[in-house]
Amino acid sequence: MPHVPARRAVPVTAAALLLAAAVPAGAETPVVGRAAAGRSIAAVRVAVTGGSYTASVGLVRTGPRSLFGGFYCAADGVSPTPLTALVDADRIYGLGGVRASWDPATQDYVVTAIHGDVADSTKKWNAYVNEKKITTGPCHTAIKGGDKVRWTLEAVSGAASGTGTAEPPRRRRER
């Protein structure tokens, strides 16, 4: 009877099992550790509209991480965001570059340019998830698998008419 050496048992953590199930073979492997445990990865569709450049790309796998050499971008500390999806779409499909600046007041990024289409005092980049405009910053908005993320260059309210954002005068009540 041939001799078969006994296999040694190797301890496997629950985080390692989840990570192995979440990342397909051949994909970039995220850093494993405390920061990576529990974070989610989502496959979403990304589109860019409103400027001179328009694109709609295939599935983009995205997850939370530090962006632009600085701040960590993750909704609730663990979820992917519209901004991580945009940056990953640019990396995978070549959208022509994404630029953003950090706003210390909101503790979030503001997208300043996509494919050379620059935001200014009359227009800005807005994000939509499943055709609903986000109401929090792009790193504070969670996205999940199957979502559709669209970045649109839009006129700033009141910029075209010069009226600003002041409230309209109230009508006087008649007695």
Side-chain angles (χ1 to χ4, degrees):
M1 185 168 204
H3 180 271
V4 178
R7 291 187 180 192
R8 289 186 17 210
V10 178
V12 177
T13 64
L17 289 173
L18 286 173
L19 184 60
V23 180
E28 283 185 42
T29 304
V31 177
V32 177
R34 285 188 191 178
R39 74 179 194 169
S40 62
I41 295 174
V44 299
R45 298 211 179 269
V46 177
V48 176
T49 62
S52 60
Y53 177 77
T54 299
S56 183
V57 299
L59 284 177
V60 175
R61 291 180 59 80
T62 189
R65 67 182 171 291
S66 294
L67 295 176
F68 306 107
F71 299 94
Y72 193 67
C73 186
D76 305 320
V78 295
S79 298
T81 69
L83 187 54
T84 60
L86 176 65
V87 169
D88 285 333
D90 182 43
R91 179 180 53 83
I92 296 166
Y93 294 101
L95 300 180
V98 174
R99 290 192 334 226
S101 61
W102 182 254
D103 180 4
T106 61
Q107 293 291 296
D108 209 334
Y109 285 102
V110 175
V111 173
T112 57
I114 301 173
H115 193 78
D117 290 327
V118 180
D120 59 26
S121 62
T122 63
K123 57 189 183 251
K124 70 177 191 171
W125 284 103
N126 290 311
Y128 292 78
V129 176
N130 298 324
E131 298 306 321
K132 293 176 85 174
K133 187 174 181 178
I134 66 171
T135 57
T136 58
C139 286
H140 290 104
T141 303
I143 60 174
K144 62 188 179 322
D147 282 349
K148 293 177 183 172
V149 177
R150 178 172 48 93
W151 285 87
T152 302
L153 188 61
E154 298 175 321
V156 174
S157 287
S161 64
T163 59
T165 57
E167 288 186 38
R170 293 184 184 211
R171 293 184 65 168
R172 199 171 175 189
R173 279 198 327 188
E174 309 251 346
R175 290 184 188 208

